[in-house]
Amino acid sequence: MAPLAIELLDGPNGVYTIAPAERLSSAEQSALMFREGPRRPADACESGDWSHVDVYLTKTLDYRALLFPGSRYDDQAMDWVRQRGSTVITVGREVRDATAAIRYAGDDDPDVALLTETLVAELVAAYWWSGQ
């Protein structure tokens, strides 16, 4: 899990994290980990809002994102991502056209997901912070 995520998320324009409204805290916490530890650019967005605002970043940047699936807007976001060749790693569920998916035991339980899914960003940020 970690080596793949470390490689795929390591881009020149930072990391974006996207989550449904009920799990926006996972996106916010993940973005914070990238900014606070290794001091990488990162921003979080709610999935529905992403389709109106951040979608434009996929056209002009080497866009790399962690997607916490479960929003009714996931398919729309992935349509744009596919068209523009962006890199998206999903956490906790596979989504069509994502570059990769990171799964873990119990990821289909909403309580487990809420408590566990931020670990992906925390591990990647810790690796970057260590200067490896």
Side-chain angles (χ1 to χ4, degrees), residues 22-39:
E22 64 273 11
R23 293 194 343 268
L24 182 57
S25 62
S26 293
E28 293 285 357
Q29 179 65 21
S30 295
L32 179 65
M33 291 298 95
F34 294 126
R35 290 192 309 265
E36 288 297 314
R39 302 286 189 218

Side-chain angles (χ1 to χ4, degrees), residues 64-76:
R64 300 180 187 224
L66 278 179
L67 173 67
F68 302 98
S71 170
R72 64 185 175 130
Y73 299 101
D74 288 349
D75 289 339
Q76 182 181 18

Side-chain angles (χ1 to χ4, degrees), residues 26-91:
S26 293
E28 293 285 357
Q29 179 65 21
S30 295
L32 179 65
M33 291 298 95
F34 294 126
R35 290 192 309 265
E36 288 297 314
R39 302 286 189 218
R40 300 273 184 117
D43 198 14
C45 195
E46 186 270 327
S47 305
D49 191 38
W50 184 94
S51 296
H52 301 292
V53 180
D54 284 9
V55 64
Y56 300 106
L57 297 174
T58 62
K59 190 171 186 176
T60 58
L61 301 177
D62 179 354
Y63 192 84
R64 300 180 187 224
L66 278 179
L67 173 67
F68 302 98
S71 170
R72 64 185 175 130
Y73 299 101
D74 288 349
D75 289 339
Q76 182 181 18
M78 292 309 298
D79 282 343
W80 284 111
V81 164
R82 181 181 63 266
Q83 290 174 36
R84 294 178 173 167
S86 300
T87 301
V88 173
I89 299 174
T90 61
V91 178

